[in-house]
């Protein structure tokens, strides 16, 4: 039985894999799925920022080749990618509206979505407003499918000792977190990491929520919504 949540946000326009011409013969033919998405991890691709947005499909194909052939992740690690013009691209195969398990945050891929900002966002780098808003809109939609407040805390359990937490350890995360929150890395860069509070607030507003501080009660309600849907 499907469950309707009152905080669903509109699905943003997403450029699909067929549109950026992903070679489907390169990837693992079988997608893996979680029970639902309860958190978002934000990344950057650590690639040059001076690109033309019209050339992004070629960048995606290069990333795809590297992450399947060189990293042996079976596909793109990220579920979605966003360029500086605010265009959202489908990353890992399996269905943009489904809880596809990616390879983006070691120890915390299960039940999360990885969104990568195309570029490098070290300290002092400008984060384009269009990119910021697109990330927020995508996060609002994915979290809204399970009624998760983007400004809330969620409980995640590590599946790998190489993450920041030993395997089996549970910890509270922001519903929209940075890669560095789960793994020892600088990703998504100081500049983008500093924008995460604003991105959370934009995402919450896109779900129709009033600005407010996250509470433990809100987190518990979100987790109950996820549990009751299965």
């Amino acid at each position: 039985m499907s469950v309707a949540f009152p905080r669903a946000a509109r699905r943003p326009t997403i450029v699909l894999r067929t549109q950026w011409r992903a070679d489907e013969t390169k990837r693992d033919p079988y997608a893996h799925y979680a029970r639902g998405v309860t958190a978002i991890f934000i990344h950057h691709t650590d690639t040059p920022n001076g690109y033309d947005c019209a050339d992004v499909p070629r960048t995606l194909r290069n990333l795809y080749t590297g992450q399947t052939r060189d990293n042996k992740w079976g596909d793109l690690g990220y579920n979605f990618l966003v360029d500086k013009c605010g265009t959202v691209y489908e990353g890992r195969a399996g269905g943009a509206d489904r809880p596809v398990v990616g390879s983006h945050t070691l120890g915390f891929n299960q039940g999360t979505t990885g969104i990568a900002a195309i570029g490098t966002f070290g300290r002092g780098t400008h984060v384009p407003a269009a990119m910021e808003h697109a990330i927020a809109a995508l996060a609002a939609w994915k979290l809204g499918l399970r009624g998760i407040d983007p400004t809330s805390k969620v409980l995640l359990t590590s599946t790998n000792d190489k993450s920041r937490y030993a395997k089996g350890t549970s910890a509270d995360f922001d519903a929209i977190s940075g890669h560095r929150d789960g793994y020892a890395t600088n990703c998504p860069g100081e500049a983008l990491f500093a924008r995460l509070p604003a991105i959370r607030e934009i995402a919450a507003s896109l779900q129709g929520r009033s600005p407010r501080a996250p509470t433990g009660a809100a987190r518990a309600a979100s987790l109950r919504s996820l549990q009751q849907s299965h």
Side-chain angles (χ1 to χ4, degrees), residues 51-186:
Y51 59 87
D52 187 318
C53 290
D55 293 332
V56 166
R58 180 173 59 186
T59 299
L60 296 184
R61 291 192 294 272
N62 290 338
L63 287 168
Y64 178 39
T65 296
Q67 293 183 4
T68 52
R69 183 191 65 196
D70 303 334
N71 294 352
K72 301 186 186 305
W73 290 346
D75 197 350
L76 272 170
Y78 315 117
N79 298 96
F80 300 93
L81 301 96
V82 179
D83 70 18
K84 63 185 179 182
C85 295
T87 303
V88 176
Y89 294 86
E90 179 185 19
R92 200 170 187 87
D97 59 340
R98 301 186 67 186
V100 179
V101 178
S103 298
H104 53 85
T105 306
L106 188 66
F108 296 100
N109 291 312
Q110 187 73 26
T112 68
T113 286
I115 301 175
I118 299 174
T120 301
F121 296 94
R123 188 182 304 275
T125 304
H126 172 65
V127 181
M131 171 180 276
E132 189 173 300
H133 191 276
I135 290 172
L138 182 57
W141 169 62
K142 289 298 288 187
L143 293 175
L145 294 175
R146 286 292 181 266
I148 304 293
D149 182 344
T151 64
S152 69
K153 297 284 187 179
V154 297
L155 190 67
L156 301 178
T157 301
S158 174
T159 62
N160 196 300
D161 285 330
K162 293 182 180 179
S163 78
R164 282 196 178 276
Y165 299 88
K167 182 178 179 179
T169 302
S170 297
D172 275 332
F173 286 80
D174 289 305
I176 301 177
S177 287
H179 185 187
R180 66 176 63 182
D181 292 316
Y183 184 73
T185 176
N186 289 325

